[in-house]
Structures are given as C-alpha cells and as structure tokens.
C-alpha cells in the first residue's frame, strides 16, 4: 500500500510540474501576427511630456502680445473670459494678484505651477477644449507668455522659447518644486492650504 501511495504522490507532483511547464510554454506561444513593434518615429510622436528642464520643448517662440492675439483668435475667451477671469472654465488670472501669499491668489495654473514648462505642457496637451493638440508650438509659446504676463510673472516684451522658458522663475518658487517623501500619518507641509 505504501508503494502505491508513494507512486500516486510522485505522479501528482509530476503532473503538477508538467502542468506548470505547459502553462509557461503557452505563455510563450506564437503572437498570431497581431500588432507590431512601433517605430522610433511613432514613439517620438507619442512622447509629448515636457519636463522641468525643457529638454523636450520643440523649436518655436512667442510673446505676450502675440499670445493675446492667439487667445482671441482661438476662442479662449469663450471659456475663460475676455481677460482670463469670469468664464465658465477656470480663471487664468488672479483676482488678487498683489497678495504675497501665492496660495491665496486662487487656483491659477500660471501661478501654482512649479515650472513654466508645466504651463506650456498643459496648454499643448489640453487646449483648446475638444481640439486638443491643434495649436502650433509658436501659438503655445505665445499663450504661455500671455498667461505668465497677465499674472505678473514675466514682462510683456519677453520672448519665450525652448531656452528661455525653463529659466522663468515661477511665483511659487522652489518651495514646492520638490516635495519630500510622504509617509502615512505625516502632517501636511507647513503653509500648504489644502
């Protein structure tokens, strides 16, 4: 009886091992010709993220004056209001621009973004609503300059391009640009309003 029991146990282990090997072999099975590896050009076209250093920014340039024209021409005022305030979409200009506390000025992207490249990236990816990605690089630079200008971040005559945009000092400063690691039951950062 002991030999038969040992045989059954050995058979069960062998069967389980064969099953694992078979499942592993099926996982490595043929691809059936579905899909393909993307080309380097296709990957570049999808890689639209812009980091703080601006290395990924495309060629182009724009000023606040040009940005004001683009703002009117592309219908930005229809959602954000004629002066960046009072539309149905979020305000783009602070109602309290002289308040020294940046958090008290409102939830304004050109004020709260830690890097000017973040403003450029958001406009490039998300605007105009339902026509995202239709703005040229020059238009995005101009709109970014316009929003930074109306919020007193840059002067009206400053030209933004791939070299100058990452150097813009944002109102929020470096205070929140790199946050410390968060751990459970850690209190909020001092001065963080939310």
């Amino acid at each position: 009886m002991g030999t038969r029991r040992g045989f059954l146990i050995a058979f069960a282990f062998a069967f389980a091992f064969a099953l694992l090997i078979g499942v592993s072999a099926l996982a490595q099975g043929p691809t059936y010709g579905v899909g393909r590896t993307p080309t380097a050009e296709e990957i570049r076209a999808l890689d639209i993220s812009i980091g703080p250093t601006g290395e990924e920014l495309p060629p182009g340039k724009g000023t606040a004056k040009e940005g004001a024209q683009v703002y009117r021409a592309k219908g930005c005022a229809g959602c954000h209001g004629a002066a960046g305030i009072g539309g149905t979409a979020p305000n783009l200009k602070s109602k309290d621009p002289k308040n020294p506390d940046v958090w008290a000025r409102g939830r304004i992207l050109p004020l709260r973004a830690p890097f000017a490249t973040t403003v450029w990236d958001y406009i490039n990816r998300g605007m105009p609503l339902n026509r995202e990605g239709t703005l040229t690089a020059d238009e995005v630079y101009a709109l970014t300059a316009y929003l930074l200008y109306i919020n007193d971040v840059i002067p009206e005559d400053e030209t933004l391009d791939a070299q100058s945009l990452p150097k813009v000092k944002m109102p929020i400063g470096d205070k929140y640009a790199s946050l410390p690691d968060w751990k459970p039951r850690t209190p909020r950062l001092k001065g963080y309003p939310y």
Side-chain angles (χ1 to χ4, degrees):
M1 189 79 149
T3 316
R4 182 176 176 161
R5 185 169 186 231
F7 174 75
L8 288 175
I9 291 173
F11 179 76
F13 278 119
F15 181 75
F17 182 73
L19 187 62
L20 285 172
I21 296 297
V23 168
S24 177
L26 286 174
Q28 304 300 320
T31 61
Y32 302 105
V34 176
R36 63 176 175 72
T37 303
T39 66
E41 184 177 313
E42 290 170 329
I43 292 172
R44 267 192 307 279
L46 293 173
D47 184 17
I48 60 172
S49 298
I50 307 297
T53 62
E55 294 172 36
E56 307 87 353
L57 286 167
K61 63 182 173 136
T63 66
K65 286 181 182 180
E66 295 164 346
Q69 293 170 357
V70 173
Y71 189 85
R72 285 189 295 277
K74 295 294 181 175
C76 305
C79 294
H80 295 284
I85 296 178
T88 56
N91 288 335
L92 299 175
K93 181 180 178 184
S94 176
K95 292 179 182 177
D96 188 11
K98 300 301 178 194
N99 193 325
D101 181 11
V102 175
W103 294 105
R105 295 184 200 176
R107 297 184 77 130
I108 313 295
L109 176 66
L111 295 174
R112 294 263 181 106
F115 308 103
T117 55
T118 304
V119 179
W120 194 99
D121 187 41
Y122 185 80
I123 294 169
N124 186 50
R125 287 195 214 205
M127 293 294 134
L129 185 63
N130 296 322
R131 293 188 324 273
E132 297 87 351
T134 59
L135 298 172
T136 66
D138 288 337
E139 291 171 330
V140 178
Y141 281 112
L143 283 170
T144 303
Y146 176 66
L147 296 183
L148 294 175
Y149 163 69
I150 65 172
N151 285 288
D152 298 323
V153 178
I154 64 169
E156 186 177 22
D157 60 348
E158 185 169 344
T159 300
L160 293 183
D161 58 21
Q163 287 71 43
S164 63
L165 183 65
K167 296 175 184 171
V168 172
K169 295 292 181 201
M170 298 301 286
I172 202 162
D174 296 333
K175 186 175 182 181
Y176 297 103
S178 59
L179 298 174
D181 290 336
W182 181 84
K183 294 178 179 66
R185 292 180 286 287
T186 301
R188 294 176 186 258
L189 294 172
K190 185 176 170 132
Y192 188 78
Y194 299 110

